[in-house]
């Protein structure tokens, strides 16, 4: 998603302003960003920002709607679609982190924006998490039915656990990159993460307790 200047003919002025606001909101938070700062980043006058969005609240609503649509598109196949396509030969063909890496190129502010929404208790972030949690529960139920996952005594906790583990690559992207030496949202980082995660999920990380 190219955060282009006004001179880039493939974006409307409204889209350029929205994208500039998205990047600034992701980097600094909504409260720290001013309309004048957004206008400067977009290369337009403050009056033009007001003309298109009315206020910072109106601009934030437009950014949240745009980001929410982009995020939810990653779960389109889980939200009422054919969940059977996501489970084949005992394997799960769905991952939030993998979808982010495939959909949003390096430099996109959307992963950072999602991080801010989720970690600050923002209502937009809470709504997204709720929808994704419901999709995760539905996928796990299907996997259990098809023998691709073992039944759980607490499926609600298991769904939350798996969702949070996947989101960790986005929420702690920079910290994980510093720890393992590679960006976890790149193909190389995802391959390393997925290999170890599969080992833990399939075989466990700790030996079984010894029987006395």
């Amino acid at each position: 998603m190219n955060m282009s200047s006004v001179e880039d003919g493939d974006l409307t002025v409204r889209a350029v302003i929205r994208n500039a606001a998205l990047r600034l909101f992701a980097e600094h938070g909504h409260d720290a960003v001013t309309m004048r700062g957004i206008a400067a980043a977009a290369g337009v006058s403050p009056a033009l920002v007001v003309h298109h969005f009315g206020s910072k609240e109106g601009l934030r609503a437009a950014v949240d709607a745009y980001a929410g649509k982009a995020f939810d598109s990653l779960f389109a196949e889980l939200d009422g679609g054919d969940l059977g396509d996501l489970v084949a030969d005992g394997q799960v063909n769905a991952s939030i982190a993998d979808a982010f890496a495939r959909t949003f190129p390096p430099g996109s502010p959307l992963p950072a924006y999602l991080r801010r929404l989720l970690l600050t208790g923002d209502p937009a972030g809470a709504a997204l998490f709720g929808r994704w949690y419901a999709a995760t529960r539905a996928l796990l139920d299907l996997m259990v039915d098809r023998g691709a996952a073992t039944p759980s005594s607490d499926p609600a906790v298991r769904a939350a656990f798996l969702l949070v583990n996947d989101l960790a690559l986005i929420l702690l992207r920079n910290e994980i990159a510093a720890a393992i030496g590679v960006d976890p949202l790149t193909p190389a980082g995802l391959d390393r993460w997925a290999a170890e995660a599969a080992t833990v999920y399939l075989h466990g990380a700790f030996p079984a307790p010894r029987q006395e």
Side-chain angles (χ1 to χ4, degrees):
M1 296 193 177
N2 183 18
M3 303 294 128
S4 305
S5 66
V6 174
E7 288 76 19
D8 194 337
D10 67 348
L11 287 179
T12 65
V13 173
R14 180 181 174 87
V16 169
I17 295 170
R18 180 204 64 211
N19 289 347
L22 168 60
R23 186 174 294 281
L24 290 175
F25 288 160
E27 292 175 354
H28 306 292
H30 301 100
D31 293 341
V33 177
T34 66
M35 292 284 273
R36 187 172 297 277
I38 293 168
V44 301
S45 68
L48 194 56
V49 179
V50 174
H51 169 75
H52 281 287
F53 297 97
S55 65
K56 192 169 83 168
E57 289 71 25
L59 179 51
R60 178 182 173 177
V63 168
D64 282 348
Y66 171 73
K69 183 177 180 180
F71 297 145
D72 279 344
S73 70
L74 305 179
F75 269 79
E77 67 271 26
L78 293 179
D79 292 330
D82 183 5
L83 299 180
D85 292 340
L86 297 173
V87 180
D89 300 324
Q91 299 297 316
V92 185
N93 302 317
S95 163
I96 302 171
D98 180 66
F100 262 71
R102 287 186 289 103
T103 304
F104 305 130
S108 169
L110 281 165
Y113 192 67
L114 175 62
R115 175 182 181 177
R116 190 169 292 277
L117 288 179
L118 290 175
L119 295 183
T120 59
D122 191 283
L128 282 170
F129 187 90
R131 293 198 294 274
W132 293 352
Y133 172 76
T136 302
R137 278 292 305 268
L139 178 59
L140 280 174
D141 288 345
L142 177 66
M143 291 174 63
V144 170
D145 289 343
R146 297 196 173 188
T150 57
S152 170
S153 61
D154 196 337
V157 169
R158 177 175 290 185
F161 172 79
L162 293 175
L163 177 59
V164 168
N165 275 356
D166 207 14
L167 285 173
L169 293 186
I170 300 163
L171 301 181
L172 298 173
R173 179 181 186 176
N174 295 336
E175 292 78 6
I176 292 172
I180 69 175
V182 62
D183 184 345
L185 292 186
T186 61
L190 281 168
D191 286 346
R192 282 184 62 186
W193 190 271
E196 186 60 23
T199 298
V200 171
Y201 288 146
L202 293 174
H203 306 295
F206 307 102
R210 293 182 178 180
Q211 298 295 327
E212 298 296 337

